[in-house]
């Protein structure tokens, strides 16, 4: 019940998953993972293919989960979505970590990130 409330899925409780819009399906996937009470939550490209309003909603949910003490590892190409949520950054290139730094160092790493990611 707490997960349904957290992810605001109550209005869709009796809707078959396959009939939900894509953004709600993503929230349902997250809910299924949270229902298992994990110690670590791995989010892989969670913003992919979603409308900006849904991406913003997911960001709010991730902030809430962090505040509740969840450990979250997020793999994400959408840097603008992920950056405000991160405590630590790892940049990969061709499968290898080429840069690693804390969120507090983000401003100092802007030139490097622009070079690596084009952001």
């Amino acid at each position: 019940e707490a997960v349904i409330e957290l992810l605001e899925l109550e209005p869709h409780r009796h809707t078959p998953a396959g009939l939900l819009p894509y953004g709600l399906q993503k929230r349902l996937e997250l809910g299924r993972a949270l229902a298992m009470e994990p110690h670590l939550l791995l989010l892989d490209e969670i913003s992919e293919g979603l409308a900006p309003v849904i991406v913003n909603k997911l960001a709010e949910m991730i902030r809430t989960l962090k505040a509740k003490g969840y450990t979250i590892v997020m793999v994400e190409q959408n840097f603008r979505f992920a950056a405000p949520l991160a405590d630590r950054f790892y940049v990969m290139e061709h499968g290898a970590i080429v840069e690693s730094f804390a969120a507090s160092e983000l401003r100092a790493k802007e030139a490097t990130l622009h070079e690596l990611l084009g952001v």
Side-chain angles (χ1 to χ4, degrees), residues 90-110:
Y90 296 89
V91 180
M92 293 185 75
E93 188 173 63
H94 305 293
I97 295 174
V98 295
E99 194 70 43
S100 171
F101 55 93
S104 61
E105 300 173 79
L106 181 59
R107 195 165 289 270
K109 296 288 186 173
E110 283 180 355

Side-chain angles (χ1 to χ4, degrees), residues 11-105:
H12 312 285
R13 180 185 286 266
H14 301 291
T15 305
L19 298 179
L20 293 171
Y22 186 64
L24 283 172
Q25 286 182 16
K26 287 271 198 169
R27 286 194 347 222
L28 180 60
E29 289 173 11
L30 181 56
R32 290 178 66 199
L34 292 173
M36 302 301 292
E37 299 180 359
H39 296 286
L40 173 70
L41 190 60
L42 176 59
L43 304 179
D44 185 15
E45 301 290 348
I46 195 163
S47 74
E48 184 179 18
L50 297 177
V53 69
I54 304 299
V55 171
N56 291 339
K57 189 67 172 167
L58 280 172
E60 288 175 32
M61 288 178 206
I62 291 168
R63 282 187 197 93
T64 300
L65 292 171
K66 283 179 60 177
K68 289 181 178 280
Y70 281 89
T71 299
I72 301 170
V73 174
M74 183 167 35
V75 177
E76 183 65 56
Q77 289 187 35
N78 183 346
F79 185 79
R80 296 190 196 298
F81 163 71
L85 302 171
D87 296 320
R88 182 141 198 90
F89 296 87
Y90 296 89
V91 180
M92 293 185 75
E93 188 173 63
H94 305 293
I97 295 174
V98 295
E99 194 70 43
S100 171
F101 55 93
S104 61
E105 300 173 79

